[in-house]
Amino acid sequence: MLSKAQISLITSLQHKKFRTQHNLFVVEGIKSVLEFIHSSYKISKIFATVDAAAKLGKIPQNIKLEELSEAEFGKISGLKNPQGALALVEIPHFNQLQVKDLQGRHSLILDDVQDPGNLGTIIRTAEWFGIENIICSIGTVDAYNPKVVQATMGSLSRIKLHYLDLEEFIQKNSMPVFGALLDGDSIYGTNFGNEGFIMMGNEGNGIRESLIPKIDQAVTIPRVGKAESLNVAVATTIFCSELTRQNMEKKNG
């Protein structure tokens, strides 16, 4: 039987204040819950309907599962069309990020990306193209926002996100920073080398003025049509694709 306290806790996790307070976030959907079960994240508890529990299969003994009726599950779901499975997952605390840990590879930097759907898509894109770390400004939307978690389709369970003061981080960094700007060099003529950072800006304002001097090379996606701008998640995908193309060319000699 679902208690009022449980309902109150789970619904409160829609808000960052309570996610921070309880050190928990919500994962919904059978596929996403399964992804987190088989990840390094620690699951506090799973709530599921009988049908959904059957689809989840055998759950490790250290994870508690509480079966609910469809009506009970509806009281805690944040989705319009609930799938019957919801997990409470502990927010991870990664070790302090060291630049040496990022050497020899490319990582993403996000400057105040605000839309949960955009961040979720960027996280999925990062995993698709093998990018392991995303460095976010303090003002970037919380990765454990339910809408972000939903949009990642489980990829959040395998990508490390770090929320840092970007100016301070870049100051300590010696690797090249490539910034997505409208007046930069063409992405298709840019050599991204073997390591560095790809910086993407805010949906409406782009990269903030104070960070632009810290960019080593401004890069743009050439515009052929008349659209004013590209969605940040789409632009990030194009950058990641070009990085991968260059890396594959180098490997194939």
Side-chain angles (χ1 to χ4, degrees):
M1 186 71 172
L2 199 61
S3 69
K4 288 183 179 179
Q6 287 175 316
I7 295 172
S8 178
L9 168 63
I10 295 167
T11 55
S12 76
L13 298 178
Q14 297 286 327
H15 306 284
K16 184 178 180 180
K17 171 185 174 181
F18 295 106
R19 290 195 293 273
T20 302
Q21 181 180 319
H22 297 289
N23 199 49
L24 292 171
F25 68 100
V26 171
V27 175
E28 271 209 71
I30 293 166
K31 179 183 181 298
S32 293
V33 170
L34 281 170
E35 297 277 14
F36 278 89
I37 287 174
H38 299 296
S39 76
S40 60
Y41 279 71
K42 185 175 180 180
I43 295 180
S44 176
K45 193 168 186 178
I46 294 173
F47 297 88
T49 61
V50 174
D51 288 346
K55 292 176 182 177
L56 290 174
K58 190 174 181 180
I59 293 171
Q61 291 183 342
N62 62 319
I63 299 175
K64 295 178 182 177
L65 169 66
E66 184 171 341
E67 290 190 356
L68 305 177
S69 66
E70 298 280 352
E72 284 181 310
F73 192 85
K75 293 177 181 178
I76 60 172
S77 176
L79 303 179
K80 289 182 179 178
N81 299 301
Q83 293 184 25
L86 180 152
L88 298 183
V89 184
E90 292 187 12
I91 294 174
H93 296 285
F94 300 118
N95 293 330
Q96 188 173 2
L97 187 63
Q98 303 292 329
V99 173
K100 63 181 177 62
D101 297 330
L102 304 176
Q103 291 174 343
R105 66 187 74 186
H106 290 92
S107 303
L108 294 175
I109 292 179
L110 304 181
D111 181 28
D112 288 4
V113 170
Q114 295 294 297
D115 183 78
N118 281 339
L119 180 57
T121 301
I122 288 170
I123 291 169
R124 286 180 69 187
T125 296
E127 186 188 16
W128 179 269
F129 288 104
I131 290 175
E132 298 174 10
N133 290 275
I134 300 177
I135 295 95
C136 302
S137 66
I138 303 300
T140 294
V141 62
D142 181 22
Y144 304 108
N145 175 309
K147 291 180 181 178
V148 176
V149 177
Q150 196 67 26
T152 71
M153 296 295 288
S155 290
L156 178 61
S157 66
R158 292 175 291 273
I159 299 293
K160 291 182 179 179
L161 281 96
H162 313 270
Y163 284 77
L164 304 170
D165 179 315
L166 293 188
E167 294 187 30
E168 185 179 316
F169 175 75
I170 295 171
Q171 195 71 35
K172 296 177 180 177
N173 158 61
S174 59
M175 291 189 290
V177 177
F178 301 89
L181 296 169
L182 287 174
D183 57 351
D185 299 322
S186 169
I187 186 175
Y188 304 116
T190 299
N191 182 354
F192 289 97
N194 297 315
E195 62 182 15
F197 300 98
I198 308 299
M199 184 187 294
M200 310 302 295
N202 171 271
E203 290 88 343
N205 303 314
I207 296 170
R208 76 183 84 163
E209 288 292 331
S210 61
L211 287 175
I212 290 176
K214 301 182 185 302
I215 292 171
D216 295 294
Q217 186 169 355
V219 183
T220 192
I221 299 167
R223 178 173 59 181
V224 178
K226 296 181 179 180
E228 185 179 331
S229 62
L230 275 177
N231 170 278
V232 65
V234 172
T236 303
T237 301
I238 294 170
F239 270 85
C240 291
S241 178
E242 177 60 16
L243 272 177
T244 300
R245 186 193 68 78
Q246 291 189 18
N247 289 335
M248 290 179 72
E249 278 191 355
K250 289 168 189 170
K251 286 181 181 178
N252 296 331

